[in-house]
Amino acid sequence: LRSAHKQTRDEQVIPLILGGKIDEARNLALGINQDQYLRMRQLAKNLSDDAQAQSTQSATLVTLTFLVLGVAAILISTMFAIFLSRNIALPLKEISTTAERIAAGDLNVSVSNGDRKDEVGNLAQAFSRMAESLRGMAGVAGKIAAGDLQVKVQPQSEKDLLGNAFSSMVETLRRLTTEIAEGVNVLGSS
């Protein structure tokens, strides 16, 4: 392009200027520059169109990537919510139902912990031990009600209010029974 311009300048424009034909030389020079300008403009338009197509393609790719990542994030969070529901919420609901049954006086309950080693498993084990302890105390109360004062009450700790109360009650009833028996013997002797 540059060499063609130089050749036209040297062979046509300069001889026209030297020949006094300045207007013709100007028109020829502007015509050459006009052709080059139009070619450069077309080249710039082509480059601009290519750049715009590439940016549109990149934007579409980025949009598609964000869409796929968004859908994946929604799926992962849904799966995580289902996982939490199955592994935490359902066992806690079962323990809550068991607690309601115990509160209503039904001690024939069992809590399965599925050999869990987490907090939910610890809670289930604690509820199982509590239900077992209450069943034991209910058995002691049944024997006392049947008149068996030879029953052995073993409180689980110093803080075991129910166990300590049963132990004290059995001792008091034994003492009262002994006193009544002695009083009956005295009356019988009289």
Side-chain angles (χ1 to χ4, degrees):
L1 193 64
R2 187 175 177 148
S3 63
H5 175 66
K6 184 177 178 182
Q7 182 181 6
T8 303
R9 183 193 67 197
D10 291 344
E11 293 176 3
Q12 293 177 1
V13 174
I14 292 178
L16 285 173
I17 292 172
L18 293 176
K21 299 180 181 174
I22 297 195
D23 288 334
E24 287 180 36
R26 184 180 305 135
N27 288 339
L28 182 61
L30 288 175
I32 294 170
N33 287 336
Q34 182 70 19
D35 288 342
Q36 289 177 351
Y37 168 75
L38 292 175
R39 279 191 235 147
M40 287 173 55
R41 185 172 179 179
Q42 186 62 38
L43 181 63
K45 184 179 181 320
N46 290 345
L47 289 173
S48 172
D49 290 345
D50 288 346
Q52 184 177 5
Q54 285 179 352
S55 76
T56 301
Q57 185 179 15
S58 294
T60 302
L61 182 63
V62 167
T63 302
L64 184 62
T65 301
F66 277 122
L67 182 65
V68 168
L69 288 175
V71 168
I74 289 171
L75 288 175
I76 289 171
S77 62
T78 301
M79 289 174 21
F80 188 66
I82 290 170
F83 171 78
L84 286 177
S85 175
R86 285 188 180 165
N87 286 326
I88 295 175
L90 291 178
L92 287 178
K93 186 175 180 182
E94 180 184 336
I95 291 170
S96 176
T97 302
T98 301
E100 288 293 328
R101 287 178 60 192
I102 290 172
D106 181 6
L107 298 179
N108 294 320
V109 296
S110 64
V111 180
S112 63
N113 65 359
D115 297 326
R116 293 177 67 136
K117 303 296 182 204
D118 60 356
E119 290 80 7
V120 175
N122 292 341
L123 182 63
Q125 289 173 1
F127 263 89
S128 290
R129 287 191 306 269
M130 179 182 68
E132 184 64 34
S133 174
L134 289 172
R135 276 193 295 273
M137 288 298 142
V140 167
K143 287 181 181 179
I144 293 170
D148 180 7
L149 297 180
Q150 299 304 315
V151 67
K152 194 77 168 160
V153 179
Q154 192 70 18
Q156 294 186 21
S157 70
E158 292 176 9
K159 294 181 180 182
D160 182 3
L161 296 176
L162 192 58
N164 287 319
F166 271 119
S167 178
S168 176
M169 181 176 67
V170 168
E171 289 301 319
T172 301
L173 286 173
R174 283 182 192 155
R175 193 181 77 248
L176 288 174
T177 304
T178 304
E179 289 175 7
I180 289 172
E182 289 175 2
V184 167
N185 285 338
V186 169
L187 281 174
S189 299
S190 301

